[in-house]
Amino acid sequence: MDKLAMTEAVMAAKADKGLTWETLAGEVGLNPVFVTAAALGQSSMPREYGERLAGALGLSGEVVDALAVCPMKGTDQTVPTDPLIYRFYEIMQVYGTSMKEVIHEKFGDGIMSAIDFTLDVDRQEDPKGDRVVVTMNGKFLPYKIW
Amino acid sequence: MDKLAMTEAVMAAKADKGLTWETLAGEVGLNPVFVTAAALGQSSMPREYGERLAGALGLSGEVVDALAVCPMKGTDQTVPTDPLIYRFYEIMQVYGTSMKEVIHEKFGDGIMSAIDFTLDVDRQEDPKGDRVVVTMNGKFLPYKIW
Amino acid sequence: MDKLAMTEAVMAAKADKGLTWETLAGEVGLNPVFVTAAALGQSSMPREYGERLAGALGLSGEVVDALAVCPMKGTDQTVPTDPLIYRFYEIMQVYGTSMKEVIHEKFGDGIMSAIDFTLDVDRQEDPKGDRVVVTMNGKFLPYKIW
Amino acid sequence: MDKLAMTEAVMAAKADKGLTWETLAGEVGLNPVFVTAAALGQSSMPREYGERLAGALGLSGEVVDALAVCPMKGTDQTVPTDPLIYRFYEIMQVYGTSMKEVIHEKFGDGIMSAIDFTLDVDRQEDPKGDRVVVTMNGKFLPYKIW
Amino acid sequence: MDKLAMTEAVMAAKADKGLTWETLAGEVGLNPVFVTAAALGQSSMPREYGERLAGALGLSGEVVDALAVCPMKGTDQTVPTDPLIYRFYEIMQVYGTSMKEVIHEKFGDGIMSAIDFTLDVDRQEDPKGDRVVVTMNGKFLPYKIW
Amino acid sequence: MDKLAMTEAVMAAKADKGLTWETLAGEVGLNPVFVTAAALGQSSMPREYGERLAGALGLSGEVVDALAVCPMKGTDQTVPTDPLIYRFYEIMQVYGTSMKEVIHEKFGDGIMSAIDFTLDVDRQEDPKGDRVVVTMNGKFLPYKIW
Amino acid sequence: MDKLAMTEAVMAAKADKGLTWETLAGEVGLNPVFVTAAALGQSSMPREYGERLAGALGLSGEVVDALAVCPMKGTDQTVPTDPLIYRFYEIMQVYGTSMKEVIHEKFGDGIMSAIDFTLDVDRQEDPKGDRVVVTMNGKFLPYKIW
Amino acid sequence: MDKLAMTEAVMAAKADKGLTWETLAGEVGLNPVFVTAAALGQSSMPREYGERLAGALGLSGEVVDALAVCPMKGTDQTVPTDPLIYRFYEIMQVYGTSMKEVIHEKFGDGIMSAIDFTLDVDRQEDPKGDRVVVTMNGKFLPYKIW
Amino acid sequence: MDKLAMTEAVMAAKADKGLTWETLAGEVGLNPVFVTAAALGQSSMPREYGERLAGALGLSGEVVDALAVCPMKGTDQTVPTDPLIYRFYEIMQVYGTSMKEVIHEKFGDGIMSAIDFTLDVDRQEDPKGDRVVVTMNGKFLPYKIW
Amino acid sequence: MDKLAMTEAVMAAKADKGLTWETLAGEVGLNPVFVTAAALGQSSMPREYGERLAGALGLSGEVVDALAVCPMKGTDQTVPTDPLIYRFYEIMQVYGTSMKEVIHEKFGDGIMSAIDFTLDVDRQEDPKGDRVVVTMNGKFLPYKIW
C-alpha cells in the first residue's frame, strides 16, 4: 500500500465514521497537525501511533505500515494556487526578510529548524471575527564555524 | 527618496548608532517584525510611527515620507535560496495541506488573513538548545456565498 | 466521489437536461458564477444549496457531499493559455499597478479581499457590439499595524 | 525622455503638488485608472489629454511626448508577489474557468476584449467595512468562423 | 464524448478513409486551418458545419456535439519544442517588437485581434524550393480611451 | 557602439526628423519590418543599406558598423506580456498544431524556415474596421533522411 | 497505433531478437542515429525504409504506418537531467556564443540548419580512453534581406 | 579587470585591427572555437597562450591575467532565443535520446565528456549551399561501479 | 519489465524479506548507495551483480535485465521539495562557488567528475548527536586546451 | 561596505599579494572552504576570525564588519550552468533518492543538517588521475513527533 492509497483509505474511513482530526489526534495522543500530515503522506508516523490511528479508523495493519514509511515530502506546485496555502507563501515573501533580520538579531547567524519543529493551529475567539493562530516552534540551529 | 534609498539610510543609521530592531521597536511602540518590515520596504508605516523611527535614528523627514508609501511587496525569487527564509517555504510545502485540513475543520471554508495579521518572533529558552517561536495571528475570513 | 467525478456528473446531467447555469442558479438561489465555480470544483457549496442543485439535476446525495468539500483551488497553468481566461491575466499585468495606486489612494494601505468577495458577469447591450461586464466586489482589508 | 523618466517626473510633481489621481483625472477629463495607467507607462495618452495632465502637474512638453508613445506593456513578474495585485491573479486562477462557462453561455464562443475595454475602481460604503468595486467592461468578440 | 476522444475519432476516421484536411474542408465549406483546429479541439465548430464534417467522416452526432463545445485552448508547453511550431515562437521573439512598431505606425495604439481573425496556409511554387505562405488577418482593435 | 546605443541613436534621430519606418524603408529600399528589425537590433543590415539608413537619419558611420553586426536575437521574456506581441504567442499556442497538420499535409515532413523568410505587415481597409494583415513567407525545408 | 506504442513494439522486438541499432540501420540502409530517432518517435521514416525496419524486427504494417507519421518532436524537460543528454545542453550553454561568432565569421549572418541536417556518432579509439565523436552537418542558411 | 571588461577590450581591439578569429587562433596556436570561448569569458586560457593573444591584439598584461582566470560558465537564458544557438538546443531536444541510445550501444553506460572535449567548426563546400560541420570530440567516461 | 516495475518488485521483495540496503549491498559486493541507485532506476547494474541482487531478493531474471538497462536519469522536480534531498541543493547553492574556488586552486581549471565517481554515506557517532558523513570522490577532469 | 564590495576587496587583495585560500585559511585558523564562503559572501565570519583575515590581506576594519554580517545566501540561478557547480546539482538529481533511502535506513526519519555542517575539499593522488574528495559532515536531525 503506497502513500496515496493510504491517504484515500484514511480519508474514506474518517468520513464514514464522521470523525474529526481533533478527535483522531486525541486518540493517537499527538497534535492534530502532525496526525493530518501523516495521514496526507507528509510525515512518517511511528508504528505505536499508527496502530492507534488505524484502530480508531478500523483500518488494517497495511495502513500502519504505510504510515511508518518515510515519505517523499512536498508538492508539485512551486507557487501554491490554493488561497489558504498561498497566504503562507505570501507571508514568506513579504515578511521573510524581516524574520531573518529579527532572528539573526536575537540568535546570531543560523536558522529556525523545520525538522526539530512543531506547528500548532488554534482558534482565538474575537468579537470582530475569530482568528487563526499558527505557532511554529523550531530549534535554533547556529551555523557551525569550521 | 525611494524605498531602496530609505532602507539603506535606515540600515546605515542603525549600524552607526549600534541600535537593535528590538530597541527601535520599543521607541516606535510597535512590534520589531513590523518595524523591520517597514524599514526593509515591505510594509508602509504611518507617519506618526515613522517620525518616531526617524527620530530614533536621527534621520530626516524624507525617510518618514518614504516609510509611509505603500510598497510593492515581495521579492524576485520564486523559491528563496536563503536557508533561513527557505525553511518557511519548506513548512508551507510540507505542512500546507495539513494546515488547510485543520483550519477548514476548525473554521469551515475560508482562509487565515495575511493582511489583518500579526507576526511575532520570540526566543524560548531550552536546555537542549533555545528555540525560535514564530506566532502568526490572522483573522479567519470565511468565503462569501453569493 | 471526488471533485473530478462530481464535475463530470454535473456537466453530464446539465447537458442531458439541457439546463443553463442561469437556470440552475435560479433554482439554487445563488449567483451563476458561484454555482459554476462550485460545479467546477473551485468553491465549496453548503449542503442546503447543494441539495437544490443536485435536485435540479436529478443527482444523488453523493454529489451534495462532494459539493460541500473545501476544494484545493486553482489550476496547474501558471500563465493561462486559453484566450478568454488569459485576458484576465493580461488585465492584471497591464492595469494591476494602476489599480494598486487608485485603491491605495481611495482606501489607504490594504487590499481588496478575494474571499469576502462576489463576482458578477453581465451582458450589456450595445449597438456597436454587446459588452461583457464583470463586477468584482471585495471587502477592503486594511493592513494591521502591530 | 523614456517612460521610466516620465513616470518619475509625474510621481514627483504629483507628490510635490499634493495632487491625487482623482483630481488629476478630473482635470484631464478621463478615468483615474486610465490616467494612472498612462502615468505608470502602461497606456499611451493622446496629446490633447497629455497636455492637460502635464499642465496640471506643471511639466514640460517632453512628458506629453512620452505619454503619447505606445508602451511595451506588462511587468517582469510572471506571478505577482504584491498582495493587492496577486488577488487579481488569484481571482483569475479560482474563477477563470467559471467566468469562461458563464460568458460562453451568455454570448457563445469568444472572449471579453481587454483592448476595447474600460476599468473602474469604486468605493462602496458598508457598515461591516467598505468595499472595493472593480468593474471591467469589455466588448464581446466572437470567434470568426472562416 | 470529450475533446480528446473526439480528436481520436476524427483522426482515425480520416486515416481510414484516406481523406485530407483539404478535402474535408471543401466538404465542410470552411478553411482547412479552421477545420483542423476544430478537429484538434482548439476551436468550436457550429453544428451546421460539424454535421457536414461528421458526415464526411461517417461519424455520429456525438462528434457533432463535441465539436460545438467551446474548448479550453492552448497547450501545456510554455516554449514549444516541436521545430515546426517553434519557428512561430521564434518569429514572435525576433520580429515581435518590429511588428509592434510597424502596426503602431500604421494604425496607432492597439493590437491585431487573434479572435476576429483568420489564418491561411498556402504553398507558393518556387524553383529554388517551394515556400510556405502563412497569412494572418485580424481586425485592428484600437485601445479605448476612457 | 553596441546595439543598444545604436537603437537609441536611430530612435532619437527618427523622432527628431519626424520620419516613419515606411519612409525610411523606402529610402533604404527594403521592407519596413526588416528595417525596423535592424534598427531594434534584431537583424543585421548589410553596409550598403546601413549607409542609406544612416544617411536618411543623418547619423555617423558608427551606426552603419553597429547595424552590420550579427545580433544576439530574441528577448528576455519567455511569454511576452505586451498585448500586441502576446497575440502572436497566442496564435502559436492555439493554431500551432493546426498549422503543423496542414503544412505536413501540403509539403510532407519539414518546417517553414524562419531564416529564408520574409514578413509583411499591411493594412486592409474594411468598413467594419480596418484589418492588419501579416504575411509570413518562408522556404519549406524538408527533413533530410540520412 | 500511436508513437508510444510503436516505440514499445520496436524496443521489445529489438530486445527479443538481440539486435543492435547498428545492425538494424544496416538493414534499413540509413544512419543508426536516424533509425533510432524514428524508432523513438522523434523522426518520421518514409514507408520504404519503415517496411525494411518492420521486416527486420518481424513487426506488422501498423508499425510502418506509425513510423511514417510526422511526430510532435522534443521532450518535456526544459533542462535535461540525464547526464549524457545534459552534456549537449552544457556544450550549448558554454560554447554556443563561440560557435555563433565562428559561424558568422565563416559564413556571414545566418544559421546552421537543424532540418537539412545529419548527425553521426562514432567511436574513435584512443589509448588514453576511447572517444565519442559526434558530427553535426547542417546546411548554412543565410538570413534573407527583404 | 573582470571577464566582461576583458571581452570588451578584446572585441574592440579585434575590430580596430580588422582581425578574424581564424587569424588570431593561428597566432595563438589554438583552435578558433577555443580562442573565441576564452575571449568571450567561457574558457580559461593559460598565460603562454594569453600572452600571444594579447600580443596579437596589442593589449596589456591585465588581459592576460583576466584570460587565465577560471570563469563562471554558461549564460542566463535557460532556453536560448538566438536562432543560431537555439538550433543546438533543438538538436539536443530532438536527437538527445537517440544519441543516448547509440552511445550506450557503442560504449556501454557512461557519457561523452564535455571537459576532455574539443569542438571544431568547419565549412563544407556544397553546390546546393555550403554546409556547417560541427565536430564534437569527447572522451567516453564509463560510470564507475562501486 | 521497465524500470518502474523493477523498482516496485525490488522494494516489495526487500520489504517482504525484511532486508536492508546494507545487507543487500553486502550480498552483491557493492556499496549500498550504488545498489540503492540501481534499485531506484538511477544506475545501471551489470548482470553479474544484478544476478546476486535478484538472487538475494528471490526475483526473476527479468529484474536482472531491467537492472542492466542504462536508465534515463534524474527526476522531474527542478528544485527538490523533499527536505532531505533539498539540503543537497542548498549546499550546492550556498557552497557551490566556494567549492569552485578551492577546487580550481588545488587542481587548476576543470571539474570533479560525477561519472568516474563514488559516493559513501556513513554514520559518525557523536555524543551531541550522531552525524551523517557523505563522501564524494570524483576524478578531477582538467579542461582540454585545443 | 556591502558584501559585493567586500568580495571585490578581498579578491583584489588576495590577487595582489599572491595568496591562496589555503594560506589564508591557515592564517585565520579555519577551513579553506569556510573562509572562501565568507569571502564570497555566503557565510558570516565572526569578528575574531575576520580580523585575522583582514590582517593577512592588509584590509581595513570595514571588511571585518562586512564579513560579520549574516548574508542573504544562495544565487540567482535555479539550475547552475557552470559545469563544476552543475555536477553537484547532477549528483543531487541522480543520487538524491538513494542518499534518502540509505540515510533513512541508517538513522530513521530525519535529515542531514546543512547548518550544523562542515565541508572539506581534498586532493587524493591517483596514478590514473588525481581525485577530488568532498566530505560533507552534518548532524543528523530526527523529525520531532508532536
Side-chain angles (χ1 to χ4, degrees), chain G residues 77-139:
Chain G
Q77 282 193 315
T78 303
V79 180
T81 57
D82 182 76
L84 184 144
I85 300 176
Y86 180 81
R87 295 307 181 271
F88 293 97
Y89 181 81
E90 183 172 306
I91 290 165
M92 178 276 288
Q93 277 279 348
V94 175
Y95 300 108
T97 49
S98 303
M99 292 192 279
K100 183 173 167 71
E101 279 288 319
V102 173
I103 291 172
H104 288 331
E105 180 173 299
K106 279 189 197 291
F107 293 87
D109 202 357
I111 65 157
M112 177 183 80
S113 181
I115 309 294
D116 185 340
F117 173 81
T118 65
L119 192 160
D120 284 87
V121 173
D122 294 299
R123 182 177 189 125
Q124 185 185 56
E125 301 212 349
D126 189 311
K128 290 186 223 141
D130 287 2
R131 300 182 74 81
V132 182
V133 182
V134 172
T135 311
M136 298 172 176
N137 183 314
K139 190 179 181 183

Side-chain angles (χ1 to χ4, degrees), chain J:
Chain J
M1 180 180 261
D2 67 11
K3 291 278 181 188
L4 202 60
M6 173 197 82
T7 298
E8 282 172 11
V10 170
M11 298 304 271
K14 172 173 171 288
D16 278 3
K17 295 194 181 285
L19 296 168
T20 62
W21 296 115
E22 196 87 29
T23 317
L24 284 169
E27 303 253 350
V28 174
L30 295 173
N31 185 292
V33 175
F34 184 87
V35 172
T36 310
L40 297 179
Q42 293 287 344
S43 291
S44 64
M45 184 177 267
R47 301 187 64 86
E48 61 191 282
Y49 299 106
E51 275 159 16
R52 289 188 220 150
L53 179 58
L57 291 162
L59 293 171
S60 73
E62 263 193 306
V63 166
V64 180
D65 293 347
L67 284 163
V69 170
C70 299
M72 188 62 65
K73 298 183 170 197
T75 69
D76 276 343
Q77 283 194 314
T78 303
V79 179
T81 57
D82 182 77
L84 185 144
I85 300 177
Y86 180 81
R87 294 308 180 269
F88 293 97
Y89 181 81
E90 183 172 306
I91 289 165
M92 179 276 288
Q93 277 279 350
V94 175
Y95 299 108
T97 50
S98 303
M99 291 192 280
K100 184 174 165 71
E101 279 288 319
V102 173
I103 291 172
H104 288 330
E105 180 173 301
K106 277 187 198 295
F107 293 87
D109 202 356
I111 66 157
M112 176 183 81
S113 181
I115 309 295
D116 185 340
F117 173 81
T118 65
L119 192 160
D120 284 87
V121 172
D122 295 299
R123 183 177 188 124
Q124 185 185 58
E125 301 210 350
D126 188 312
K128 289 185 222 142
D130 287 1
R131 301 181 73 83
V132 182
V133 181
V134 172
T135 310
M136 298 172 175
N137 183 314
K139 190 177 179 184
F140 177 72
L141 304 179
Y143 270 101
K144 203 177 177 75
I145 310 297
W146 82 90

Side-chain angles (χ1 to χ4, degrees), chain B residues 51-139:
Chain B
E51 275 158 16
R52 289 187 221 152
L53 180 57
L57 292 162
L59 294 171
S60 73
E62 262 192 307
V63 165
V64 179
D65 293 346
L67 284 164
V69 170
C70 298
M72 189 61 67
K73 298 183 169 196
T75 69
D76 276 342
Q77 283 194 314
T78 303
V79 180
T81 57
D82 182 77
L84 184 144
I85 300 176
Y86 180 82
R87 294 309 179 271
F88 293 96
Y89 181 80
E90 183 173 307
I91 289 165
M92 179 275 290
Q93 277 279 349
V94 174
Y95 299 107
T97 49
S98 303
M99 290 192 280
K100 183 174 166 72
E101 279 288 320
V102 173
I103 291 172
H104 288 331
E105 182 173 301
K106 277 188 199 295
F107 293 87
D109 203 356
I111 65 158
M112 177 184 81
S113 181
I115 308 295
D116 185 339
F117 172 80
T118 65
L119 193 160
D120 285 86
V121 173
D122 295 298
R123 183 177 188 124
Q124 185 185 58
E125 301 210 350
D126 189 311
K128 290 185 222 143
D130 287 1
R131 301 182 73 82
V132 182
V133 181
V134 172
T135 310
M136 298 172 174
N137 182 315
K139 191 177 179 184

Side-chain angles (χ1 to χ4, degrees), chain A residues 80-131:
Chain A
T81 58
D82 182 77
L84 185 144
I85 300 176
Y86 180 81
R87 294 308 179 270
F88 294 96
Y89 181 80
E90 183 173 306
I91 291 165
M92 178 276 288
Q93 277 279 348
V94 175
Y95 300 107
T97 49
S98 303
M99 291 191 280
K100 182 173 167 72
E101 278 289 319
V102 173
I103 292 172
H104 288 332
E105 180 173 301
K106 278 187 198 295
F107 293 89
D109 203 357
I111 66 158
M112 177 184 80
S113 180
I115 308 294
D116 186 338
F117 173 81
T118 65
L119 193 160
D120 285 86
V121 173
D122 294 299
R123 183 177 188 124
Q124 185 186 56
E125 300 211 349
D126 189 312
K128 290 185 223 143
D130 287 1
R131 301 181 73 83

